[in-house]
Amino acid sequence: MLAVGFETVGSSVPKLPSVVPIQRESVTRPGTAEAVTVRRGDLDGLRGVAIALVVAFHVWMGRVSGGVDVFLVLSGFFFTGAVVRGVERRGVLAPMATARRTVRRLMPSLVLVLAAIVLATIALRPYTQFGETAAQTLASMFYGQNWYLAGAELDYLAPDPSVSPLQHLWSMSVQGQFYVAIVAVLAGWAWLRRRGAVGRPALLLALTGLGLLSFWYAAHGSATHQAWTYYDSLARAWELLAGAVLAVAAPYLRIPVRLRGVVALIGLVMVLSCGPLFDGANQFPGTAALWPVAAACLVIASGFGPAGPRAWPNRLLGGRVCTELGALAYPLYLWHWPILIFYLAETGRSHAGLVDGLLVIGVSLVLAYVTARLVENPLRMPSAGQVSTANNRVAGGLVGVLTVGVLAATLGWQVVLSANPAVPPQALDPHRYPGASALLSGAEYSPEPMRPTVFEGPVDTPSPTTDGCITPDREVRVCTYGDPTATRSIALVGGSHSEHWLPALELLGAEHGFRVISYLKEGCPIVLSDQPSYAEYPFPECHAWTVEVLDRLAADPPGWVLTLSTRYRQSGVGDEVPVEYLEAWSALQDRGLNVLALRDTPRLQRDGVFYRATDCLAHRGDADSCGMDRTDALDAVDPAAEPAAGYPNVHLLDLTDAVCRPQRCRVVEGNVLIYRDEHHLTASYARSLAPELGRQIGLVTGWW
């Protein structure tokens, strides 16, 4: 990611002579045909500062620093500039040569790190994670990791043991896709240029227009669907295009010598202040990303103009410390995240402290140096002599073997999973698998192999997950379950924690004669706020969806509306009723709708870190050790009891005793796995809750 897009013309930095390429920007001044070569060691140093911020903020702050956004600008600048200058020198674009050069610079280090992650996962992590790691490894190797994460609705999370060691590779995928797209654009420009139709100004105008469109798209997406937009290549394109525009505009930009220091200083200060000022994971690549992008552009532009002495900020960036760190930026970026994640996973810590954080950084630096010296450099630098040729062959052979090994392991595991698909049980013998009934009745039962198994659990989902009746976007989808011919109805409204009760409601609807009408949206309880108090980022799409659902419910009122009454407390133990839930109850009351408000189920976490029940069970855990204390998961008294007293239309349901024991919330009861991930019920366990849920609904509604 960080080492692509500029021409390597030599090296002269002490101690790392084969690692540090001198950055030279060759530009053609307007009105001349003479190429002017300008050394830009300060941009190598800017990479060094950016990677230092990325690593430090990941290890100690648990947030985004803006350094990756700086890298995106630099990559767009160097890559586009190199290709454009090549077209102007040769008259044609050489796409295959460009592709070979780019692959030679990117793939060796990436393959090495991917191989290490695969081996570490096999050796250290539960076998239930092999499939996910294999899928993300393939996505990363073929530059589709950002779309994989976006499709899985995985927010860019702070590092903790539950986070993927491959999560950071989304940015490499974005850049790889950009390189393909920009080469296609430049190929078209080169074709028109050969016919005398266009020059640099036309290319500059086209790239600027594309950048503005991408920025508009990113700003809109960040305000409506941040989790997707963060990884979206189209939303990220404007950051790379900002660098590309600077590369094309370089011959026309002349910063006066006396202003260069001011411009560079402002840019450097903005780079350093980005992390503390902005919550990048929840704001970028929207309008807030203008800050790091502008910062990088200012430092780049400070080197444009007539020859003259370099300003002190540029000399500082071009110093030995910054440039040597910049030379390791790419392999350091690759290594630091998986090292951190595996360390946290093995120690069970939620974050790194000062000493162990320094240890993580030290190990990452050593691995980055070795990778650059022994793998990356021999394959990307020109050969010189027999020793260099031998090094090239050894490095090339190692990368080839690792590539085959990674592909064989990951593809092989995917084939095994495809040939042996996990099929969740549709019905379990209630005598052998009583599930929740074992807690409620205390009936004795003989031990049986747990169902669903650790492989079946993640796919033991409610019907809307598979039939498309829970929407991922703004669309309101309405589906009917239970007894479709019945006149009585219950509307199930909310997000996935409302959805996971549907298997029980389906059984009850068929038994007692009522329809279950679903209004479900991923990650969206009914809420009338663009950014609820419990949300990490704005989600106005949820607000708009809620308003339309409320209007539909008012137009065609069901007998009852079933939704959640509580949510886990993010800042401590237990559960609570967010103020936004009370606003929703008021809105339902204003529309004359009666509400069945169901207490939410516990979420599995230790020290604030979520974990999957299936992973814990596969990693030498058992039903009790993989659970959590009830006092950590739930308040002693339903927190909805007091506020609900002020809403005559709201009637509370609480099935806590059907999920948790008096002292402990375990992950298996009555031989049935309770959780399919960190906090969603398996459909099998939800079905075992039907008798108790039916008893409580019957008492409130009087339907049976």
Side-chain angles (χ1 to χ4, degrees):
M1 179 186 88
L2 316 178
V4 180
F6 38 87
E7 297 177 336
T8 302
V9 295
S11 58
S12 61
V13 179
K15 290 182 67 176
L16 289 172
S18 63
V19 173
V20 182
I22 297 175
Q23 308 312 322
R24 297 183 186 271
E25 180 198 353
S26 300
V27 300
T28 303
R29 300 298 185 196
T32 74
E34 181 183 358
V36 180
T37 301
V38 182
R39 174 172 175 166
R40 296 303 306 273
D42 58 328
L43 298 188
D44 226 356
L46 179 60
R47 289 195 307 154
V49 171
I51 190 59
L53 291 172
V54 168
V55 173
F57 271 74
H58 277 166
V59 172
W60 287 306
M61 308 296 181
R63 59 187 293 170
V64 171
S65 67
V68 168
D69 303 86
V70 172
F71 294 144
L72 294 177
V73 176
L74 288 172
S75 293
F77 175 75
F78 284 125
F79 187 86
T80 305
V83 176
V84 168
R85 291 191 297 273
V87 170
E88 291 177 335
R89 285 196 306 270
R90 296 184 295 268
V92 296
L93 187 144
M96 295 307 299
T98 300
R100 284 194 301 271
R101 185 167 58 250
T102 303
V103 169
R104 192 168 62 243
R105 291 172 177 174
L106 281 176
M107 290 305 295
S109 297
L110 176 63
V111 168
L112 178 62
V113 173
L114 290 178
I117 291 173
V118 169
L119 289 174
T121 300
I122 294 172
L124 302 174
R125 305 310 301 141
Y127 55 82
T128 46
Q129 292 185 4
F130 292 177
E132 178 70 12
T133 298
Q136 290 199 33
T137 298
L138 290 170
S140 298
M141 180 168 282
F142 293 101
Y143 290 84
Q145 172 73 335
N146 63 313
W147 295 120
Y148 184 96
L149 296 173
E153 291 286 323
L154 297 175
D155 299 340
Y156 193 76
L157 302 175
D160 67 44
S162 68
V163 177
S164 166
L166 295 148
Q167 177 179 265
H168 67 313
L169 297 180
W170 68 267
S171 60
M172 286 198 57
S173 296
V174 168
Q175 289 180 79
Q177 295 159 30
F178 172 80
Y179 296 147
V180 173
I182 197 66
V183 165
V185 171
L186 295 178
W189 171 72
W191 184 83
L192 293 172
R193 183 178 179 274
R194 286 199 308 273
R195 284 151 182 78
V198 298
R200 276 204 184 205
L203 177 61
L204 180 62
L205 183 62
L207 295 180
T208 301
L210 291 173
L212 291 174
L213 284 174
S214 172
F215 176 74
W216 171 84
Y217 176 74
H220 175 74
S222 294
T224 57
H225 201 168
Q226 171 66 15
W228 174 279
T229 304
Y230 190 88
Y231 301 112
D232 192 332
S233 298
L234 297 177
R236 287 286 179 175
W238 73 272
E239 298 182 282
L240 291 122
L241 285 168
V245 166
L246 274 181
V248 177
Y252 312 104
L253 297 177
R254 303 177 67 83
I255 307 297
V257 174
R258 63 182 179 275
L259 293 181
R260 290 181 188 175
V262 175
V263 172
L265 178 61
I266 293 173
L268 182 57
V269 170
M270 290 174 67
V271 169
L272 296 173
S273 62
C274 182
L277 290 177
F278 297 94
D279 183 7
N282 296 321
Q283 293 178 288
F284 297 167
T287 306
L290 283 169
W291 187 273
V293 170
C297 289
L298 286 172
V299 176
I300 294 172
S302 68
F304 294 162
R310 293 189 303 164
W312 71 264
N314 301 88
R315 294 198 302 273
L316 177 65
L317 288 173
R320 179 172 176 177
V321 173
C322 291
T323 55
E324 290 193 3
L325 188 57
L328 295 178
Y330 178 49
L332 180 56
Y333 182 82
L334 294 178
W335 279 114
H336 83 281
W337 183 266
I339 295 296
L340 176 60
I341 297 303
F342 279 111
Y343 169 76
L344 295 177
E346 289 306 299
T347 60
R349 303 191 60 176
S350 59
H351 61 277
L354 177 60
V355 176
D356 51 348
L358 289 173
L359 177 63
V360 167
I361 293 174
V363 172
S364 302
L365 279 169
V366 170
L367 290 173
Y369 177 84
V370 172
T371 301
R373 192 65 180 252
L374 301 182
V375 177
E376 180 180 288
N377 241 32
L379 292 177
R380 102 180 190 188
M381 296 292 186
S383 300
Q386 294 181 349
V387 174
S388 179
T389 301
N391 290 342
N392 292 352
R393 290 174 178 171
V394 171
L398 174 63
V399 171
V401 169
L402 290 178
T403 300
V404 173
V406 169
L407 289 175
T410 52
L411 286 172
W413 188 250
Q414 297 294 78
V415 169
V416 169
L417 293 178
S418 298
N420 301 275
V423 180
Q426 297 304 307
L428 294 172
D429 182 348
H431 300 290
R432 299 172 58 204
Y433 293 92
S437 297
L439 279 182
L440 296 170
S441 66
E444 294 186 1
Y445 56 92
S446 60
E448 297 281 352
M450 183 188 73
R451 296 294 304 275
T453 66
V454 292
F455 285 112
E456 294 169 343
V459 295
D460 192 15
T461 58
S463 300
T465 296
T466 54
D467 63 23
C469 283
I470 181 168
T471 181
D473 50 38
R474 170 64 179 78
E475 178 188 3
V476 175
R477 300 180 186 176
V478 183
C479 298
T480 301
Y481 302 92
D483 182 354
T485 64
T487 57
R488 299 183 302 192
S489 63
I490 292 178
L492 179 64
V493 182
S496 58
H497 272 238
S498 294
E499 179 203 21
H500 69 199
W501 291 98
L502 185 61
L505 290 170
E506 285 183 286
L507 294 178
L508 294 174
E511 179 183 356
H512 296 290
F514 66 88
R515 288 175 292 133
V516 182
I517 307 170
S518 67
Y519 297 84
L520 300 168
K521 174 172 169 53
E522 294 174 359
C524 184
I526 48 177
V527 62
L528 295 170
S529 171
D530 283 348
Q531 185 167 6
S533 58
Y534 53 80
E536 296 182 354
Y537 52 83
F539 199 12
E541 182 177 283
C542 183
H543 180 186
W545 176 86
T546 297
V547 170
E548 183 174 342
V549 169
L550 290 174
D551 290 342
R552 291 197 184 195
L553 291 173
D556 185 14
W560 292 84
V561 173
L562 193 153
T563 191
L564 298 182
S565 64
T566 63
R567 183 180 176 85
Y568 79 103
R569 186 176 284 111
Q570 290 177 286
S571 58
V573 298
D575 53 345
E576 63 182 358
V577 182
V579 64
E580 290 80 11
Y581 285 22
L582 303 182
E583 294 172 356
W585 294 355
S586 296
L588 290 164
Q589 180 175 268
D590 293 342
R591 290 163 174 78
L593 298 168
N594 292 316
V595 179
L596 297 169
L598 182 60
R599 191 177 189 181
D600 199 6
T601 48
R603 303 185 183 218
L604 299 174
Q605 56 178 316
R606 297 190 184 103
D607 299 324
V609 178
F610 292 113
Y611 63 93
R612 299 182 183 94
T614 51
D615 289 346
C616 182
L617 291 169
H619 203 50
R620 302 181 296 275
D622 57 36
D624 193 73
S625 66
C626 291
M628 59 186 300
D629 289 341
R630 180 164 171 161
T631 53
D632 290 338
L634 301 163
D635 284 5
V637 177
D638 186 350
E642 182 178 346
Y647 293 87
N649 66 315
V650 174
H651 302 265
L652 300 181
L653 307 176
D654 187 354
L655 275 77
T656 297
D657 291 337
V659 177
C660 294
R661 297 185 177 191
Q663 304 299 326
R664 190 80 171 164
C665 297
R666 308 199 324 158
V667 298
V668 181
E669 292 291 357
N671 296 328
V672 180
L673 176 65
I674 297 177
Y675 294 97
R676 55 186 162 95
D677 51 23
E678 300 93 338
H679 46 81
H680 293 101
L681 300 177
T682 62
S684 296
Y685 198 80
R687 282 189 283 268
S688 78
L689 290 164
E692 177 60 15
L693 180 62
R695 184 188 70 81
Q696 295 191 26
I697 291 177
L699 288 175
V700 173
T701 64
W703 284 356
W704 53 84

